[in-house]
């Protein structure tokens, strides 16, 4: 996967009604972006933050495959600027979110956001997420390059070697000490994976092979009925309003993890403080159908207002 794809995917993960991505950038805004920003002909627009009061997108931030273009109104300390993705990965972020001053800084690059419904803290979270994805990309690529330059050394001549089978795939050969280390580190399972060496008629479970059996931890005995956790019953759950629920309220429902609860709160804030439908909640939670159907009776969406936002734009297709 290319760095461009990583950045575009990261933008899609953080898309909201105020952070337009790909084909969901309205055409009118897109036309103004090409007029007002120094976008080169070989750039692809990934995402847009419109910081204008009336939604013209003549000021804001444009994320492309090259970096981030910024254009502020005449009131901004920095009229316009650009940071490429290489420099962005090392950038530091800061922001102010007062009524009279809503600004976000990428190093010395200012984004004046007073006219945007996207708040600086939320946009900062988006930029931090993109930055982390870039770091992960370079870390993985560096590890792959290191592995290609330093292949695993073969066993020394004269040592007895073994093959290992994991999920039907064969690996090796390895010497005994290497396999023992793999068992202890959890890379292979003594009760599920197999070994074989020359002279053996068949593959054998690792736990049944003499050199390795003592390295396989015995399975714990079944829990006493008195200490077994009792399954939760639906009667213990109370209905919550997702538009007013706190973190603890969300975590009181089954299947909702800390990660998904935080995602709901972030999405709610990005939507202006209220979900419009329970289907939006379902989309954020990304549970299996039967899981969501179980908790659906205990969630409601109250006090929301229908958004007049209309989607449109062009497609960025990888």
């Amino acid at each position: 996967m290319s760095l461009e794809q990583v950045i575009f995917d990261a933008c899609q993960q953080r898309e909201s009604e105020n952070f337009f991505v790909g084909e969901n950038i309205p055409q009118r805004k897109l036309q103004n972006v090409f007029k007002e920003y120094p976008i080169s002909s070989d750039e692809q627009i990934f995402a847009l933050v419109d910081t204008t009061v009336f939604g013209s997108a003549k000021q804001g931030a444009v994320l492309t495959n090259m970096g981030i273009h910024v254009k502020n109104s005449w009131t901004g300390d920095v009229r316009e600027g650009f940071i490429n993705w290489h420099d962005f990965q090392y950038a530091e972020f800061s922001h102010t979110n007062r009524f009279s001053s809503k600004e976000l800084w990428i190093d010395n690059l200012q984004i004046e956001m007073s006219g945007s419904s996207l708040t600086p803290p939320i946009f900062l979270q988006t930029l931090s997420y993109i930055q982390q994805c870039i770091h992960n990309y370079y870390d993985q690529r560096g590890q792959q390059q290191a592995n290609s330059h330093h292949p695993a050394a073969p066993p020394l001549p004269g040592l007895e070697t073994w093959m290992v089978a994991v999920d039907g795939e064969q690996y090796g050969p390895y010497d005994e000490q290497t396999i023992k280390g793999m068992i202890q580190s959890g890379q292979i399972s003594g009760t599920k994976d197999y070994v074989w060496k020359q002279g053996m008629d068949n593959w054998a479970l690792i736990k049944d092979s003499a050199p390795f059996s003592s390295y396989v931890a015995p399975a714990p005995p079944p829990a006493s009925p008195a200490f077994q956790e009792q399954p939760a019953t639906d009667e213990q759950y109370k209905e919550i309003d997702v538009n007013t629920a706190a973190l603890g309220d969300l975590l009181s429902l089954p299947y909702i993890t800390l990660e998904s609860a935080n995602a709901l709160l972030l999405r709610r804030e990005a939507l202006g403080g209220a979900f419009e439908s329970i289907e939006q909640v379902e989309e954020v939670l990304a549970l299996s159908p039967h899981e969501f159907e179980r908790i659906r009776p205990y969630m409601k969406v109250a006090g929301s207002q229908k958004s007049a936002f209309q989607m449109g734009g062009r497609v960025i297709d990888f």
Side-chain angles (χ1 to χ4, degrees):
M1 181 181 293
S2 67
L3 177 61
E4 292 181 358
Q5 180 69 64
V6 168
I7 295 170
F8 182 71
D9 288 349
C11 290
Q12 286 188 311
Q13 290 294 320
R14 299 293 300 182
E15 184 173 10
S16 68
E17 290 189 10
N18 303 307
F19 182 64
F20 307 99
V21 178
E23 63 181 5
N24 291 328
I25 302 176
Q27 193 65 32
R28 182 175 64 87
K29 294 180 184 290
L30 198 60
Q31 291 171 351
N32 286 335
V33 165
F34 282 114
K35 291 178 182 178
E36 300 294 332
Y37 291 79
I39 306 293
S40 63
S41 59
D42 58 346
E43 283 187 84
Q44 293 176 304
I45 295 178
F46 288 168
L48 167 68
V49 175
D50 181 4
T51 62
T52 62
V53 175
F54 298 107
S56 69
K58 292 182 178 181
Q59 290 98 41
V62 180
L63 286 68
T64 77
N65 60 317
M66 306 293 288
I68 302 177
H69 294 270
V70 172
K71 189 166 186 181
N72 296 313
S73 66
W74 60 271
T75 60
D77 296 333
V78 179
R79 186 71 176 87
E80 60 183 28
F82 173 79
I83 184 170
N84 62 52
W85 292 121
H86 179 272
D87 293 338
F88 176 83
Q89 67 175 313
Y90 305 110
E92 295 184 356
F93 309 128
S94 60
H95 72 86
T96 59
N97 193 36
R98 299 184 297 272
F99 177 77
S100 59
S101 176
K102 293 185 178 182
E103 300 172 346
L104 188 147
W105 294 82
I106 308 173
D107 283 342
N108 296 322
L109 181 60
Q110 177 198 31
I111 305 176
E112 209 287 315
M113 302 184 66
S114 296
S116 174
S117 54
L118 180 66
T119 64
I122 294 297
F123 191 32
L124 186 148
Q125 291 176 5
T126 295
L127 294 177
S128 297
Y129 177 73
I130 295 172
Q131 187 183 63
Q132 185 59 55
C133 290
I134 295 174
H135 288 165
N136 293 342
Y137 168 80
Y138 282 115
D139 288 345
Q140 292 173 4
R141 193 173 72 165
Q143 186 61 48
Q144 290 170 355
Q145 291 175 345
N147 291 341
S148 66
H149 290 298
H150 301 283
L156 293 174
L159 288 179
E160 187 174 57
T161 58
W162 297 73
M163 299 295 292
V164 177
V166 179
D167 295 331
E169 297 290 333
Q170 297 182 23
Y171 303 91
Y174 304 108
D175 59 55
E176 283 188 14
Q177 291 304 316
T178 299
I179 294 179
K180 290 174 181 177
M182 294 166 71
I183 297 170
Q184 291 176 319
S185 65
Q187 296 179 61
I188 56 177
S189 168
T191 58
K192 296 180 180 179
D193 300 328
Y194 293 79
V195 289
W196 177 89
K197 68 175 181 177
Q198 192 170 6
M200 292 176 58
D201 294 331
N202 296 300
W203 290 82
L205 278 170
I206 293 175
K207 70 179 183 66
D208 297 331
S209 302
F212 313 118
S213 57
S214 61
Y215 288 83
V216 180
S224 169
F227 294 97
Q228 289 181 351
E229 183 178 355
Q230 297 300 315
T233 59
D234 287 350
E235 286 75 12
Q236 73 185 71
Y237 304 123
K238 297 180 180 179
E239 185 182 48
I240 63 172
D241 182 355
V242 184
N243 283 338
T244 59
L247 181 63
D249 299 325
L250 296 172
L251 292 174
S252 68
L253 295 179
Y255 307 122
I256 296 184
T257 64
L258 180 60
E259 181 180 1
S260 59
N262 279 322
L264 275 176
L265 296 178
L266 288 173
R267 181 63 169 167
R268 186 176 72 189
E269 183 174 353
L271 292 173
F275 289 97
E276 296 177 4
S277 66
I278 202 68
E279 285 73 24
Q280 288 181 317
V281 176
E282 181 179 11
E283 180 182 352
V284 175
L285 290 177
L287 297 173
S288 64
H290 79 274
E291 290 174 337
F292 187 75
E293 285 305 313
R294 182 183 173 192
I295 64 174
R296 187 185 186 114
Y298 306 102
M299 294 189 297
K300 65 179 181 179
V301 173
S304 64
Q305 295 181 348
K306 184 70 175 177
S307 171
F309 178 74
Q310 300 294 323
M311 306 299 285
R314 71 168 189 167
V315 176
I316 301 295
D317 185 14
F318 281 93

CSV table of all heavy atoms in Angstrom, one decimal, residues 33-75:
chain,number,residue,atom,x,y,z
A,33,VAL,N,-12.2,25.7,-4.5
A,33,VAL,CA,-10.9,25.3,-4.0
A,33,VAL,C,-9.9,25.4,-5.2
A,33,VAL,O,-8.8,26.0,-5.0
A,33,VAL,CB,-10.9,23.8,-3.5
A,33,VAL,CG1,-9.5,23.2,-3.4
A,33,VAL,CG2,-11.6,23.7,-2.2
A,34,PHE,N,-10.3,25.0,-6.4
A,34,PHE,CA,-9.4,25.1,-7.5
A,34,PHE,C,-9.1,26.5,-7.9
A,34,PHE,O,-8.0,26.8,-8.4
A,34,PHE,CB,-9.9,24.3,-8.7
A,34,PHE,CG,-9.8,22.8,-8.6
A,34,PHE,CD1,-10.9,22.0,-8.5
A,34,PHE,CD2,-8.5,22.2,-8.6
A,34,PHE,CE1,-10.7,20.6,-8.4
A,34,PHE,CE2,-8.3,20.9,-8.5
A,34,PHE,CZ,-9.4,20.0,-8.4
A,35,LYS,N,-10.1,27.4,-7.6
A,35,LYS,CA,-9.9,28.8,-8.0
A,35,LYS,C,-9.0,29.5,-6.9
A,35,LYS,O,-8.2,30.4,-7.3
A,35,LYS,CB,-11.2,29.5,-8.0
A,35,LYS,CG,-12.1,29.1,-9.2
A,35,LYS,CD,-13.5,29.8,-9.1
A,35,LYS,CE,-14.4,29.4,-10.2
A,35,LYS,NZ,-15.7,30.1,-10.1
A,36,GLU,N,-9.1,29.2,-5.7
A,36,GLU,CA,-8.5,30.0,-4.6
A,36,GLU,C,-7.2,29.4,-4.1
A,36,GLU,O,-6.4,30.1,-3.6
A,36,GLU,CB,-9.5,30.1,-3.4
A,36,GLU,CG,-10.8,30.8,-3.8
A,36,GLU,CD,-10.6,32.2,-4.1
A,36,GLU,OE1,-9.7,32.8,-3.6
A,36,GLU,OE2,-11.5,32.7,-4.9
A,37,TYR,N,-7.0,28.1,-4.2
A,37,TYR,CA,-5.8,27.5,-3.7
A,37,TYR,C,-4.8,27.2,-4.8
A,37,TYR,O,-5.2,26.9,-5.9
A,37,TYR,CB,-6.1,26.2,-2.9
A,37,TYR,CG,-6.9,26.3,-1.7
A,37,TYR,CD1,-8.3,26.6,-1.7
A,37,TYR,CD2,-6.3,26.2,-0.4
A,37,TYR,CE1,-9.0,26.7,-0.5
A,37,TYR,CE2,-7.0,26.4,0.8
A,37,TYR,CZ,-8.4,26.6,0.7
A,37,TYR,OH,-9.1,26.7,1.9
A,38,PRO,N,-3.5,27.2,-4.5
A,38,PRO,CA,-2.5,26.9,-5.5
A,38,PRO,C,-2.3,25.4,-5.6
A,38,PRO,O,-1.3,24.8,-5.4
A,38,PRO,CB,-1.2,27.5,-4.9
A,38,PRO,CG,-1.4,27.4,-3.4
A,38,PRO,CD,-2.9,27.7,-3.2
A,39,ILE,N,-3.4,24.7,-6.1
A,39,ILE,CA,-3.4,23.3,-6.3
A,39,ILE,C,-2.8,23.0,-7.7
A,39,ILE,O,-3.3,23.5,-8.7
A,39,ILE,CB,-4.8,22.7,-6.3
A,39,ILE,CG1,-5.5,23.1,-4.9
A,39,ILE,CG2,-4.8,21.2,-6.4
A,39,ILE,CD1,-4.9,22.5,-3.7
A,40,SER,N,-1.7,22.2,-7.7
A,40,SER,CA,-1.1,21.9,-9.0
A,40,SER,C,-1.9,20.8,-9.8
A,40,SER,O,-2.7,20.1,-9.2
A,40,SER,CB,0.3,21.4,-8.8
A,40,SER,OG,0.3,20.1,-8.0
A,41,SER,N,-1.6,20.7,-11.0
A,41,SER,CA,-2.4,19.8,-11.9
A,41,SER,C,-2.2,18.3,-11.6
A,41,SER,O,-3.1,17.5,-11.9
A,41,SER,CB,-2.0,20.0,-13.4
A,41,SER,OG,-0.6,19.8,-13.6
A,42,ASP,N,-1.1,18.0,-10.9
A,42,ASP,CA,-0.8,16.6,-10.6
A,42,ASP,C,-1.2,16.2,-9.2
A,42,ASP,O,-0.9,15.2,-8.7
A,42,ASP,CB,0.6,16.3,-10.8
A,42,ASP,CG,1.6,17.1,-10.0
A,42,ASP,OD1,1.1,18.2,-9.5
A,42,ASP,OD2,2.8,16.8,-9.9
A,43,GLU,N,-1.9,17.1,-8.5
A,43,GLU,CA,-2.4,16.9,-7.1
A,43,GLU,C,-3.8,16.3,-7.1
A,43,GLU,O,-4.6,16.6,-7.9
A,43,GLU,CB,-2.4,18.1,-6.3
A,43,GLU,CG,-1.0,18.5,-5.8
A,43,GLU,CD,-1.1,19.7,-4.8
A,43,GLU,OE1,-1.3,19.5,-3.6
A,43,GLU,OE2,-0.9,20.8,-5.3
A,44,GLN,N,-4.0,15.4,-6.2
A,44,GLN,CA,-5.4,14.8,-6.0
A,44,GLN,C,-5.9,15.3,-4.6
A,44,GLN,O,-5.2,15.2,-3.6
A,44,GLN,CB,-5.3,13.3,-6.0
A,44,GLN,CG,-5.0,12.6,-7.3
A,44,GLN,CD,-4.9,11.1,-7.1
A,44,GLN,OE1,-4.1,10.6,-6.3
A,44,GLN,NE2,-5.6,10.4,-7.9
A,45,ILE,N,-7.1,15.8,-4.6
A,45,ILE,CA,-7.7,16.3,-3.4
A,45,ILE,C,-8.3,15.2,-2.6
A,45,ILE,O,-9.2,14.5,-3.1
A,45,ILE,CB,-8.7,17.4,-3.7
A,45,ILE,CG1,-8.0,18.6,-4.4
A,45,ILE,CG2,-9.4,17.8,-2.4
A,45,ILE,CD1,-9.0,19.7,-4.8
A,46,PHE,N,-7.8,15.0,-1.4
A,46,PHE,CA,-8.3,14.0,-0.6
A,46,PHE,C,-9.5,14.4,0.4
A,46,PHE,O,-10.5,13.7,0.5
A,46,PHE,CB,-7.2,13.4,0.3
A,46,PHE,CG,-6.2,12.6,-0.4
A,46,PHE,CD1,-5.0,12.2,0.2
A,46,PHE,CD2,-6.4,12.2,-1.7
A,46,PHE,CE1,-4.1,11.5,-0.5
A,46,PHE,CE2,-5.5,11.4,-2.4
A,46,PHE,CZ,-4.3,11.0,-1.8
A,47,ALA,N,-9.3,15.6,1.0
A,47,ALA,CA,-10.3,16.1,2.0
A,47,ALA,C,-10.3,17.6,2.1
A,47,ALA,O,-9.3,18.2,1.6
A,47,ALA,CB,-9.9,15.4,3.3
A,48,LEU,N,-11.3,18.1,2.7
A,48,LEU,CA,-11.5,19.6,2.8
A,48,LEU,C,-12.1,19.9,4.1
A,48,LEU,O,-13.0,19.3,4.6
A,48,LEU,CB,-12.4,20.1,1.6
A,48,LEU,CG,-12.9,21.5,1.7
A,48,LEU,CD1,-11.8,22.5,1.6
A,48,LEU,CD2,-14.0,21.7,0.7
A,49,VAL,N,-11.5,21.0,4.7
A,49,VAL,CA,-12.2,21.7,5.8
A,49,VAL,C,-12.5,23.1,5.4
A,49,VAL,O,-11.6,23.8,5.0
A,49,VAL,CB,-11.2,21.7,7.1
A,49,VAL,CG1,-11.8,22.5,8.2
A,49,VAL,CG2,-10.9,20.3,7.5
A,50,ASP,N,-13.8,23.4,5.4
A,50,ASP,CA,-14.3,24.7,5.0
A,50,ASP,C,-14.4,25.6,6.3
A,50,ASP,O,-15.2,25.3,7.2
A,50,ASP,CB,-15.6,24.6,4.3
A,50,ASP,CG,-16.2,25.9,3.8
A,50,ASP,OD1,-15.5,26.9,4.0
A,50,ASP,OD2,-17.3,25.9,3.3
A,51,THR,N,-13.6,26.7,6.3
A,51,THR,CA,-13.7,27.5,7.5
A,51,THR,C,-14.4,28.8,7.3
A,51,THR,O,-14.3,29.8,8.1
A,51,THR,CB,-12.2,27.9,8.0
A,51,THR,OG1,-11.5,28.6,7.0
A,51,THR,CG2,-11.5,26.6,8.3
A,52,THR,N,-15.1,28.9,6.1
A,52,THR,CA,-15.9,30.1,5.9
A,52,THR,C,-17.2,30.1,6.5
A,52,THR,O,-17.8,29.0,6.8
A,52,THR,CB,-16.1,30.3,4.3
A,52,THR,OG1,-16.9,29.2,3.8
A,52,THR,CG2,-14.8,30.4,3.6
A,53,VAL,N,-17.7,31.3,6.8
A,53,VAL,CA,-19.0,31.4,7.5
A,53,VAL,C,-20.2,30.9,6.6
A,53,VAL,O,-21.1,30.2,7.1
A,53,VAL,CB,-19.3,32.8,8.0
A,53,VAL,CG1,-20.7,32.9,8.6
A,53,VAL,CG2,-18.2,33.2,9.0
A,54,PHE,N,-20.1,31.2,5.4
A,54,PHE,CA,-21.2,31.0,4.4
A,54,PHE,C,-21.0,29.7,3.6
A,54,PHE,O,-21.8,29.5,2.7
A,54,PHE,CB,-21.5,32.2,3.6
A,54,PHE,CG,-21.9,33.4,4.4
A,54,PHE,CD1,-21.1,34.5,4.5
A,54,PHE,CD2,-23.2,33.4,5.0
A,54,PHE,CE1,-21.5,35.6,5.3
A,54,PHE,CE2,-23.6,34.5,5.7
A,54,PHE,CZ,-22.7,35.6,5.9
A,55,GLY,N,-19.9,29.0,3.8
A,55,GLY,CA,-19.7,27.7,3.2
A,55,GLY,C,-19.2,27.8,1.8
A,55,GLY,O,-19.4,26.8,1.0
A,56,SER,N,-18.4,28.8,1.4
A,56,SER,CA,-17.9,28.9,0.1
A,56,SER,C,-16.6,28.1,-0.1
A,56,SER,O,-16.2,27.8,-1.2
A,56,SER,CB,-17.6,30.4,-0.3
A,56,SER,OG,-16.5,30.8,0.5
A,57,ALA,N,-16.0,27.7,1.0
A,57,ALA,CA,-14.7,27.0,1.0
A,57,ALA,C,-13.5,27.8,0.4
A,57,ALA,O,-12.5,27.2,0.0
A,57,ALA,CB,-14.9,25.6,0.2
A,58,LYS,N,-13.7,29.1,0.3
A,58,LYS,CA,-12.6,29.9,-0.2
A,58,LYS,C,-11.4,30.0,0.8
A,58,LYS,O,-10.3,30.5,0.5
A,58,LYS,CB,-13.1,31.3,-0.6
A,58,LYS,CG,-14.0,31.2,-1.8
A,58,LYS,CD,-14.5,32.6,-2.2
A,58,LYS,CE,-15.4,32.5,-3.5
A,58,LYS,NZ,-15.8,33.9,-3.9
A,59,GLN,N,-11.7,29.7,2.1
A,59,GLN,CA,-10.7,29.6,3.1
A,59,GLN,C,-10.9,28.3,3.8
A,59,GLN,O,-12.0,27.7,3.9
A,59,GLN,CB,-10.8,30.8,4.1
A,59,GLN,CG,-10.4,32.1,3.6
A,59,GLN,CD,-11.6,32.9,3.2
A,59,GLN,OE1,-12.6,32.9,3.9
A,59,GLN,NE2,-11.5,33.6,2.1
A,60,GLY,N,-9.8,27.8,4.3
A,60,GLY,CA,-9.8,26.5,5.0
A,60,GLY,C,-8.5,25.7,4.9
A,60,GLY,O,-7.5,26.3,4.7
A,61,ALA,N,-8.7,24.4,4.9
A,61,ALA,CA,-7.5,23.5,4.7
A,61,ALA,C,-7.9,22.4,3.7
A,61,ALA,O,-9.0,21.8,3.8
A,61,ALA,CB,-7.2,22.9,6.0
A,62,VAL,N,-7.0,22.2,2.8
A,62,VAL,CA,-7.2,21.2,1.7
A,62,VAL,C,-6.1,20.1,1.8
A,62,VAL,O,-4.9,20.5,1.8
A,62,VAL,CB,-7.2,21.8,0.3
A,62,VAL,CG1,-7.4,20.7,-0.7
A,62,VAL,CG2,-8.3,22.9,0.2
A,63,LEU,N,-6.5,18.9,2.0
A,63,LEU,CA,-5.6,17.8,2.2
A,63,LEU,C,-5.5,17.1,0.8
A,63,LEU,O,-6.5,16.6,0.3
A,63,LEU,CB,-6.0,16.8,3.2
A,63,LEU,CG,-5.8,17.2,4.7
A,63,LEU,CD1,-6.8,18.3,5.1
A,63,LEU,CD2,-6.1,16.0,5.6
A,64,THR,N,-4.3,17.0,0.2
A,64,THR,CA,-4.0,16.4,-1.1
A,64,THR,C,-3.0,15.3,-0.9
A,64,THR,O,-2.5,15.0,0.2
A,64,THR,CB,-3.5,17.4,-2.1
A,64,THR,OG1,-2.1,17.7,-1.9
A,64,THR,CG2,-4.3,18.7,-2.0
A,65,ASN,N,-2.7,14.7,-2.0
A,65,ASN,CA,-1.6,13.6,-2.0
A,65,ASN,C,-0.3,14.2,-1.8
A,65,ASN,O,0.7,13.5,-1.5
A,65,ASN,CB,-1.7,12.8,-3.3
A,65,ASN,CG,-1.4,13.7,-4.5
A,65,ASN,OD1,-1.9,14.8,-4.6
A,65,ASN,ND2,-0.6,13.2,-5.4
A,66,MET,N,-0.1,15.5,-1.9
A,66,MET,CA,1.2,16.2,-1.7
A,66,MET,C,1.4,16.7,-0.2
A,66,MET,O,2.5,16.8,0.3
A,66,MET,CB,1.3,17.3,-2.7
A,66,MET,CG,1.1,16.9,-4.1
A,66,MET,SD,2.4,15.8,-4.7
A,66,MET,CE,3.8,17.0,-4.8
A,67,GLY,N,0.3,17.1,0.4
A,67,GLY,CA,0.4,17.7,1.7
A,67,GLY,C,-0.9,18.5,2.1
A,67,GLY,O,-2.0,18.1,1.6
A,68,ILE,N,-0.8,19.5,2.9
A,68,ILE,CA,-1.9,20.3,3.3
A,68,ILE,C,-1.8,21.7,2.9
A,68,ILE,O,-0.8,22.4,3.3
A,68,ILE,CB,-2.1,20.2,4.9
A,68,ILE,CG1,-2.3,18.8,5.3
A,68,ILE,CG2,-3.3,21.0,5.3
A,68,ILE,CD1,-2.4,18.6,6.8
A,69,HIS,N,-2.7,22.2,2.1
A,69,HIS,CA,-2.8,23.6,1.8
A,69,HIS,C,-3.7,24.4,2.8
A,69,HIS,O,-4.8,23.9,3.1
A,69,HIS,CB,-3.3,23.8,0.4
A,69,HIS,CG,-2.5,23.3,-0.7
A,69,HIS,ND1,-1.5,24.0,-1.3
A,69,HIS,CD2,-2.4,22.0,-1.3
A,69,HIS,CE1,-0.9,23.2,-2.3
A,69,HIS,NE2,-1.4,22.0,-2.3
A,70,VAL,N,-3.3,25.6,3.2
A,70,VAL,CA,-4.1,26.3,4.1
A,70,VAL,C,-4.3,27.7,3.5
A,70,VAL,O,-3.3,28.3,3.0
A,70,VAL,CB,-3.4,26.4,5.5
A,70,VAL,CG1,-4.2,27.4,6.4
A,70,VAL,CG2,-3.3,25.1,6.1
A,71,LYS,N,-5.5,28.2,3.7
A,71,LYS,CA,-5.8,29.6,3.3
A,71,LYS,C,-6.7,30.2,4.3
A,71,LYS,O,-7.8,29.7,4.6
A,71,LYS,CB,-6.4,29.7,1.9
A,71,LYS,CG,-6.5,31.1,1.4
A,71,LYS,CD,-6.8,31.2,-0.1
A,71,LYS,CE,-6.7,32.6,-0.6
A,71,LYS,NZ,-7.0,32.7,-2.1
A,72,ASN,N,-6.3,31.3,4.9
A,72,ASN,CA,-7.0,32.0,5.9
A,72,ASN,C,-7.6,33.3,5.4
A,72,ASN,O,-7.2,33.9,4.4
A,72,ASN,CB,-6.1,32.3,7.2
A,72,ASN,CG,-5.7,31.0,7.8
A,72,ASN,OD1,-6.4,30.1,8.1
A,72,ASN,ND2,-4.4,31.0,8.1
A,73,SER,N,-8.5,33.9,6.1
A,73,SER,CA,-9.1,35.2,5.8
A,73,SER,C,-8.0,36.3,6.1
A,73,SER,O,-7.0,36.0,6.7
A,73,SER,CB,-10.3,35.5,6.6
A,73,SER,OG,-10.1,35.6,8.0
A,74,TRP,N,-8.3,37.5,5.8
A,74,TRP,CA,-7.3,38.6,6.0
A,74,TRP,C,-7.1,38.8,7.5
A,74,TRP,O,-6.1,39.4,7.9
A,74,TRP,CB,-7.8,39.9,5.4
A,74,TRP,CG,-9.1,40.3,6.0
A,74,TRP,CD1,-10.4,40.0,5.5
A,74,TRP,CD2,-9.3,41.2,7.1
A,74,TRP,NE1,-11.4,40.6,6.3
A,74,TRP,CE2,-10.7,41.4,7.3
A,74,TRP,CE3,-8.5,41.9,8.0
A,74,TRP,CZ2,-11.3,42.2,8.3
A,74,TRP,CZ3,-9.0,42.7,8.9
A,74,TRP,CH2,-10.4,42.8,9.1
A,75,THR,N,-7.9,38.2,8.4
A,75,THR,CA,-7.7,38.4,9.8
A,75,THR,C,-6.7,37.5,10.4
A,75,THR,O,-6.2,37.6,11.5
A,75,THR,CB,-9.0,38.2,10.6
A,75,THR,OG1,-9.5,36.9,10.4
A,75,THR,CG2,-10.1,39.2,10.2
